[in-house]
Amino acid sequence: MLRKVLLVLVLVVGCLGNFSGVEAANWQWVVSSSKITVTIDLDSISKSDGIYTVWARFKNADYVDKYVNHQRVDYTADQLQYKKQGNGYLICQARSIAYHDEEDIGEWTSSRWESVIPSTFGDSILKRVLAERAAADKKEEEQLNKQQQEQVAAQAAKEKQEKAENKRRNNEQAAANVIGILGGILGR
């Protein structure tokens, strides 16, 4: 019973976003277990060069004993990156900051990419990031398609203009040749 009450409290606190370690405007619940509640900052979701980036919080339940620098970790704020590879995605925990009583007690970075394992916190976060980015990605794709169509149209117009210019030059050259031939015939 106590465990259920603690889980409910963790969920409520996580949903309210009452964490101040990494300041952000829009923390939203993603997934919970009996030990951890995961939220992400929707405002931090970005995509650049095919890499999605998001800040996530991993809030430990009160009975979880996890320590950094001999201090209990209340939660970590993690900057996660995702990129598509083949049929799946890779994840990189680019930056992590551990907090106790709202104070930074440790920070580390990584550049190691690993496969996203199905049905894990990383997979749940990825699904939410992709869902949140779907509209923006569609708009970016439409914009890219529009730019490509404009480039194709501009190239076609340029080729048409070059073809017309070549035709004009050829006609001028043909006329000069005819005048030269006629001049040669009439001049004799």
Side-chain angles (χ1 to χ4, degrees):
M1 180 66 177
L2 178 59
R3 193 174 196 180
K4 286 182 181 180
V5 170
L6 288 174
L7 181 57
V8 169
L9 286 173
V10 168
L11 288 172
V12 168
V13 170
C15 290
L16 293 176
N18 288 333
F19 306 88
S20 64
V22 174
E23 296 303 324
N26 200 1
W27 290 100
Q28 297 292 316
W29 176 86
V30 175
V31 65
S32 295
S33 72
S34 62
K35 295 182 181 182
I36 296 176
T37 295
V38 180
T39 58
I40 62 171
D41 173 20
L42 297 183
D43 293 342
S44 74
I45 297 172
S46 64
K47 181 182 177 188
S48 178
D49 297 327
I51 296 177
Y52 294 94
T53 302
V54 64
W55 277 96
R57 285 187 179 154
F58 295 83
K59 172 77 169 103
N60 295 317
D62 289 339
Y63 59 86
V64 172
D65 289 328
K66 182 177 177 182
Y67 292 86
V68 169
N69 296 328
H70 306 291
Q71 293 184 8
R72 184 180 176 283
V73 175
D74 295 326
Y75 66 93
T76 61
D78 299 278
Q79 186 181 41
L80 303 175
Q81 295 179 322
Y82 293 92
K83 68 180 176 181
K84 187 155 184 61
Q85 184 177 54
N87 292 332
Y89 280 86
L90 298 176
I91 184 174
C92 176
Q93 189 174 358
R95 184 174 174 205
S96 294
I97 307 167
Y99 290 90
H100 173 75
D101 287 339
E102 304 302 330
E103 290 185 33
D104 176 345
I105 58 172
E107 185 173 334
W108 54 98
T109 60
S110 173
S111 59
R112 189 175 77 189
W113 290 93
E114 298 178 0
S115 294
V116 174
I117 300 169
S119 302
T120 60
F121 289 148
D123 184 45
S124 296
I125 294 168
L126 172 62
K127 288 176 182 172
R128 181 70 182 268
V129 166
L130 293 176
E132 294 293 332
R133 279 291 308 187
D137 286 347
K138 183 177 179 182
K139 186 175 181 180
E140 286 176 10
E141 186 175 332
E142 288 170 354
Q143 182 66 26
L144 182 61
N145 287 339
K146 182 179 176 184
Q147 288 173 347
Q148 289 172 342
Q149 289 172 352
E150 289 171 354
Q151 289 173 347
V152 167
Q155 183 64 30
K158 181 179 177 183
E159 289 172 2
K160 185 177 179 180
Q161 183 180 9
E162 287 173 355
K163 189 175 179 179
E165 182 63 26
N166 286 338
K167 186 176 180 179
R168 185 191 59 76
R169 274 194 233 124
N170 289 340
N171 288 342
E172 286 176 359
Q173 184 64 43
N177 289 343
V178 168
I179 291 171
I181 292 171
L182 288 175
I185 293 174
L186 296 176
R188 287 192 190 187

